[in-house]
Amino acid sequence: MTLRIFRVTVRGRFDALADPVRARLLTEAAAHDVVKAAFTETGTLTYERTLHSFTFRFRLRDESATEADSRATVMADAEARATAWLEELGATWSALRVDAHDMADVWTSRT
């Protein structure tokens, strides 16, 4: 098995946020500015003060037998982590999209 490292993004839209949730997000907005975005194992959340959309960024590892299995595993893990954070906050969302890029592809020349 090969250890694979992925950068995974989970994107979505905030949907009809309750006033307390909206207030908390606005209070914490500076800490979630896109300028501070990083791919981390615990995940980094970014969003704009308009509270329209959000992005989680994860750096996840997997050792499944195939790249396709690894990709599916890290995408499911990232989605679960992102939705858990949103649920804990009490936020509602829609249009969730998950994408994963194997970092080994960065070093592979495509001809």
Side-chain angles (χ1 to χ4, degrees):
M1 288 190 220
T2 302
L3 174 65
R4 293 178 179 86
I5 301 171
F6 289 87
R7 285 188 171 180
V8 186
T9 55
V10 180
R11 294 179 177 89
R13 293 187 188 142
F14 290 117
D15 189 31
L17 296 171
D19 288 341
V21 175
R22 179 175 292 284
R24 178 178 170 188
L25 288 170
L26 289 173
T27 299
E28 298 174 1
H32 298 282
D33 190 279
V34 71
V35 174
K36 298 178 182 180
F39 287 89
T40 65
E41 288 183 31
T42 57
T44 301
L45 169 65
T46 61
Y47 55 86
E48 299 169 0
R49 295 188 67 80
T50 60
L51 300 180
H52 180 261
S53 60
F54 59 84
T55 301
F56 285 91
R57 290 173 173 84
F58 297 95
R59 183 185 66 241
L60 300 175
R61 301 167 187 253
D62 189 76
E63 291 186 273
S64 296
T66 68
E67 181 182 357
D69 289 344
S70 286
R71 185 178 308 278
T73 297
V74 298
M75 288 175 69
D77 185 23
E79 182 174 356
R81 291 178 189 210
T83 57
W85 190 92
L86 292 163
E87 287 171 353
E88 183 178 317
L89 176 64
T92 52
W93 66 92
S94 62
L96 209 60
R97 298 179 325 273
V98 183
D99 191 31
H101 297 280
D102 186 342
M103 294 311 298
D105 291 343
V106 170
W107 306 109
T108 304
S109 175
R110 295 177 190 230
T111 55

